[in-house]
Amino acid sequence: MATRLGLSLPQMRQYSIGKDVPDVARAAEEIGYDSLWVFERALFPEPATQGLYGIEGMPWPDQYRGVADPLVTLTLAAAATERARLGTSVLVAPLHIPFQLAKALASLDAASGGRVLAGLGTGWSVDEYAAAGIRPIEERGKVLDEIIDVCRAVWGPDPVVHDGRITKIASAVVGPKPARPIPILLAASNKRAWRRLVDHADGWLPVGMGVKQIAAQWRELQDLAAERGRKEPIQTVLRVNCVRLPKAYEGADRPPFQGDVDQIVEDLAAHAQIGLEEILVDLQGTARDAQELKDVASEVFEKARAAGV
């Protein structure tokens, strides 16, 4: 069975959100992509308090100066498509009020006919937490735990009841309900986060850093699931952040998913052998506009399928 392929929607500053998101979403569905994805970048600190991903000295990409809201972007895509699933990879959950986030995701799922995948993470930017976080960044894990609980409660049967540190719902009818139970996937990369995933979530959102690393993490996560007695399979969507170059990357130390289209497809084929269900291909960063994004997305899809991905 071929690996499902997803495509990231155009959210960055070089795109016209109202025009390009529906356009690219429709095109991706016609090409054959199984899913459409968004990410979250709330702001661009200037000067930056910390480097990208919290790595000292690493600059923030200029495209991050204007990243469209993820749920607004997915709503535009939902209205323009019929089949493709609609995912977040990832939504920085503790930047959102739990009840409102749960209701927004439920409404989007109901409107789209049951196509939402809630990919959640805790983020790393101290500036984003200072501006939008409902609790300090040091409490982000506990906040994510409560957000998962609130989502399960709000999406479940009425009356909804929840008594948490942040959210208190005495007893209420909350609608609309999702068209089906919304899968929650987590961007977990350490043992504490993996335990949260195994015990409370439906799936895993790793980032493509190399075949050996992802394969080892996947085996370790499966072993942990068996150790903790999990019976349900873990859904998997691998995110790959592509840096497309006009010509082939030369050198033996080529980073994964950097190079021309043939080299990106070569890496897709290698990662598909790990056995993960789906690969999310993010091509928007190096595309100049929506037309180039559509053209490259089509070429990647066709060559990936020809390579057996």
Side-chain angles (χ1 to χ4, degrees):
M1 180 178 176
T3 304
R4 291 197 298 264
L5 291 176
L7 182 71
S8 276
L9 291 166
Q11 293 174 262
M12 296 180 178
R13 68 182 307 209
Q14 69 266 44
Y15 302 105
S16 173
I17 302 304
K19 172 179 173 290
D20 291 344
V21 170
D23 182 33
V24 171
R26 280 190 294 265
E29 193 171 70
E30 291 170 3
I31 290 166
Y33 282 95
D34 297 285
S35 53
L36 302 167
W37 296 82
V38 293
F39 76 109
E40 183 158 35
R41 196 81 284 134
L43 48 72
F44 187 99
E46 197 169 41
T49 304
Q50 60 186 155
L52 188 68
Y53 309 130
I55 300 172
E56 185 176 356
M58 182 174 287
W60 289 51
D62 191 62
Q63 298 98 318
Y64 284 3
R65 289 180 180 274
V67 176
D69 179 86
L71 295 185
V72 171
T73 304
L74 274 191
T75 302
L76 290 168
T81 56
E82 297 179 354
R83 172 188 57 81
R85 298 187 302 165
L86 307 163
T88 58
S89 177
V90 294
L91 199 73
V92 184
L95 302 184
H96 299 262
I97 297 172
F99 178 80
Q100 292 178 340
L101 177 60
K103 187 171 173 80
L105 289 167
S107 298
L108 181 57
D109 193 74
S112 65
R115 293 191 279 149
V116 171
L117 299 169
L120 308 179
T122 54
W124 48 266
S125 170
V126 296
D127 293 287
E128 290 183 337
Y129 270 84
I134 58 172
R135 298 293 300 167
I137 192 170
E138 293 79 13
E139 298 180 24
R140 59 192 182 276
K142 292 179 180 179
V143 175
L144 178 57
D145 288 336
E146 181 161 349
I147 286 172
I148 293 172
D149 290 342
V150 170
C151 284
R152 301 290 193 203
V154 168
W155 300 342
D158 294 321
V160 174
V161 176
H162 179 81
D163 184 15
R165 289 195 315 146
I166 302 167
T167 304
K168 297 185 182 297
I169 310 169
S171 179
V173 174
V174 184
K177 298 296 184 184
R180 92 299 190 218
I182 299 174
I184 294 178
L185 292 79
L186 299 181
S189 58
N190 58 59
K191 288 190 176 181
R192 178 183 294 181
W194 284 345
R195 286 193 294 271
R196 176 186 292 117
L197 189 161
V198 167
D199 294 344
H200 302 294
D202 301 291
W204 183 40
L205 288 170
V207 177
M209 304 294 288
V211 172
K212 290 183 179 180
Q213 180 178 347
I214 296 299
Q217 289 184 353
W218 179 223
R219 287 192 298 269
E220 192 171 350
L221 181 57
Q222 289 176 301
D223 290 344
L224 180 64
E227 177 186 315
R228 297 180 75 82
R230 181 180 173 120
K231 304 301 182 184
E232 302 82 5
I234 296 173
Q235 300 178 38
T236 52
V237 181
L238 173 69
R239 179 186 182 91
V240 297
N241 300 311
C242 301
V243 177
R244 185 183 61 85
L245 304 175
K247 60 180 181 179
Y249 188 108
E250 297 180 358
D253 58 345
R254 180 175 66 88
F257 303 104
Q258 293 193 22
D260 63 8
V261 168
D262 289 335
Q263 290 176 320
I264 289 172
V265 170
E266 177 184 321
D267 290 336
L268 286 173
H271 282 73
Q273 297 301 311
I274 298 171
L276 304 181
E277 297 172 286
E278 188 163 353
I279 300 177
L280 152 61
V281 184
D282 190 338
L283 296 162
Q284 66 172 310
T286 52
R288 290 168 295 185
D289 53 30
Q291 186 58 55
E292 183 176 4
L293 176 57
K294 291 187 294 182
D295 291 343
V296 176
S298 179
E299 184 180 3
V300 168
F301 185 89
E302 291 174 5
K303 289 186 173 182
R305 289 301 185 228
V309 178

